[in-house]
Amino acid sequence: MSIFEVLEFNEISDERGALVVLEQFSNLPIEFKRVYYIYGTPKGVERGFHAHKQLRQVAICLMGSVDILMDDGKNKEIITLNSPAKGLLIDAMQWHEMRNFTNNCVLMVLADDAYDESDYIRDYNEFKGFFE
Ligand code: T46
């Protein structure tokens, strides 16, 4: 069993292309209060390297691709996000590292709360300490 959940969104496709609907409490397991997106990431750049104490998020790669290492304190797994019809649930207390962004990557993240730096654990040893 995987340590992370991938949400598969229904694609409404016809000859004009595809449309995906994200609806709170319907196909999204989180309430979202904030949306941000990451793009224009230069080659070789790595982002993330933190966990959140409470925040729950869903990351969707709208264009291009990115690898995300997920770490639940015991196990690590890497997922490649490369489809706007898939969402990665980044749950609370999941350390995540993002790398191998393609230069056209647009990563959109839906978050269930406002930005709060005190919710971040940016020190890996501190993160591991929660599981000892
Ligand atoms: C996460 C991963 C997937 C704000 O001022 N407001 C915001 O809502 C966010 C998300 C960031 N910021 C500021 C804080 C930093 O000065 O933007 C700057 C870059 O943030 P950070 O270095 O945390 O970016 P990433 O890509 O390492 O992490 C981001 C999110 O911060 C984080 O919550 O889970 O994407």
Side-chain angles (χ1 to χ4, degrees):
M1 199 180 122
S2 182
I3 62 168
F4 54 79
E5 188 181 343
V6 176
L7 312 165
E8 309 265 354
F9 304 124
N10 186 37
E11 289 179 277
I12 305 172
S13 298
D14 59 29
E15 63 283 355
R16 299 168 299 168
L19 183 154
V20 168
V21 183
L22 305 176
E23 208 168 297
Q24 197 163 283
F25 309 127
S26 166
N27 61 349
L28 275 188
I30 64 163
E31 182 180 2
F32 56 98
K33 293 191 179 157
R34 177 167 55 107
V35 178
Y36 60 90
Y37 35 93
I38 295 167
Y39 60 97
T41 311
K43 198 173 166 52
V45 162
E46 300 185 340
R47 304 189 62 125
F49 294 83
H50 59 254
H52 286 280
K53 295 175 191 160
Q54 307 276 347
L55 191 74
R56 304 184 75 216
Q57 307 185 97
V58 172
I60 302 164
C61 187
L62 296 180
M63 189 180 280
S65 97
V66 58
D67 293 338
I68 306 188
L69 177 142
M70 299 293 290
D71 178 342
D72 68 357
K74 293 196 171 78
N75 297 297
K76 298 178 186 198
E77 270 181 63
I78 295 173
I79 175 171
T80 299
L81 279 186
N82 56 9
S83 164
K86 278 190 191 353
L88 170 66
L89 177 64
I90 305 176
D91 223 325
M93 295 307 288
Q94 290 190 324
W95 184 267
H96 46 286
E97 301 174 5
M98 301 175 275
R99 50 176 67 89
N100 299 329
F101 288 86
T102 56
N103 58 11
N104 62 344
C105 180
V106 180
L107 182 67
M108 179 178 75
V109 183
L110 311 177
D112 75 351
D113 212 345
Y115 174 71
D116 175 8
E117 187 56 41
S118 70
D119 186 66
Y120 285 69
I121 305 168
R122 293 193 185 268
D123 181 298
Y124 189 67
N125 290 329
E126 183 189 345
F127 170 72
K128 288 294 276 183
F130 282 93
F131 301 94
E132 284 164 4

